[in-house]
Amino acid sequence: MGFGDLKSPAGLQVLNDYLADKSYIEGYVPSQADVAVFEAVSGPPPADLCHALRWYNHIKSYEKEKASLPGVKKALGKYGPANVEDTTESGATDSKDDDDIDLFGSDDEEESEEAKRLREERLAQYESKKAKKPALVAKSSILLDVKPWDDETDMAKLEECVRSIQADGLVWGSSKLVPVGYGIKKLQIQCVVEDDKVGTDMLEEQISAFDEYVQSMDVAAFNKI
């Protein structure tokens, strides 16, 4: 398992493809798995790798809380696609981790089993909470205006970046390009959200992160369903 070399374009492409249908490296919440991979990436992925960039910006927002995120940090080779080998260069932190593993090898093995058990318990609790939720969920229909920088912005890529944002309680709908003047068109896109899970602030933060394509985002319409 692994992502190849996460400091190389090829490794970042593997990461981007892996996150195309996932919000996190493992499970449904940020964890030490995300921290381990985040620390191996040398900086924000380029804008054309929209899934990896969306994940990077999201995990970066947990920078002050990363030590408290659930799970146990493992070697990079324990994460990612099964058919890819990790070749990311090890730094000083990795060397320290290796030393710890050499010194406490058997304890780490037990800790991994404990981490696996805790993760399974959390997932079971998560599924239990979902099952107990009432059938009637408050939802809203939101129409967003996403404006590009100029008439040379690749609007197909801009829309791809916007739709790459995934979250529990968020469903993207129809879209169209609307002229705003001087040959510039804005993307008008519909989405349905569960009110207690997704808000306009979260959407604006994640959409605006694609700043190579996006100049601004506005809420054009907001209706309760």
Side-chain angles (χ1 to χ4, degrees):
M1 297 177 70
F3 296 100
D5 184 358
L6 281 170
K7 300 186 186 304
S8 72
L12 292 175
Q13 183 65 60
V14 174
L15 176 63
N16 186 71
D17 294 343
Y18 181 77
L19 291 167
D21 59 352
K22 299 177 180 64
S23 296
Y24 304 103
I25 299 300
E26 285 186 346
Y28 303 98
V29 296
S31 68
Q32 292 301 319
D34 296 284
V35 174
V37 178
F38 179 87
E39 290 177 345
V41 178
S42 57
D48 60 322
L49 301 180
C50 51
H51 305 298
L53 180 58
R54 175 255 307 158
W55 167 84
Y56 181 93
N57 288 328
H58 185 51
I59 300 305
K60 187 177 180 181
S61 69
Y62 288 92
E63 192 163 3
K64 294 181 181 179
E65 309 160 46
K66 65 182 182 181
S68 63
L69 293 178
V72 177
K73 196 186 299 184
K74 297 180 284 190
L76 282 174
K78 299 293 184 181
Y79 307 115
N83 60 342
V84 179
E85 181 181 355
D86 175 60
T87 58
T88 305
E89 293 181 9
S90 298
T93 302
D94 296 329
S95 298
K96 182 179 183 298
D97 290 342
D98 290 343
D99 291 341
D100 289 344
I101 291 170
D102 290 338
L103 188 59
F104 304 109
S106 60
D107 290 342
D108 275 353
E109 192 171 324
E110 292 174 8
E111 192 174 25
S112 295
E113 289 300 318
E114 178 69 9
K116 182 179 178 182
R117 182 184 66 80
L118 288 172
R119 183 164 57 252
E120 288 174 352
E121 284 182 3
R122 289 193 183 98
L123 286 173
Q125 290 171 2
Y126 174 80
E127 293 298 332
S128 176
K129 286 180 181 178
K130 282 181 67 178
K132 291 177 182 177
K133 283 188 177 179
L136 194 59
V137 178
K139 295 183 179 181
S140 298
S141 174
I142 306 175
L143 185 64
L144 302 175
D145 281 348
V146 185
K147 297 176 183 176
W149 288 104
D150 52 38
D151 59 342
E152 295 183 357
T153 300
D154 186 339
M155 296 303 292
K157 191 65 183 179
L158 184 151
E159 181 172 353
E160 180 185 339
C161 289
V162 171
R163 289 186 183 274
S164 75
I165 298 171
Q166 299 177 1
D168 187 22
L170 169 64
V171 178
W172 292 108
S174 61
S175 64
K176 64 180 179 179
L177 297 179
V178 179
V180 294
Y182 303 101
I184 300 174
K185 295 181 180 180
K186 64 182 178 183
L187 172 68
Q188 199 165 76
I189 186 166
Q190 190 91 25
C191 66
V192 174
V193 303
E194 293 184 23
D195 296 345
D196 62 341
K197 296 179 180 178
V198 180
T200 55
D201 288 345
M202 186 211 84
L203 291 172
E204 182 173 11
E205 178 184 350
Q206 295 202 29
I207 290 174
S208 297
F210 299 111
D211 54 7
E212 183 174 333
Y213 302 102
V214 177
Q215 181 192 87
S216 64
M217 187 217 84
D218 297 307
V219 177
F222 190 107
N223 298 296
K224 295 288 185 182
I225 298 176

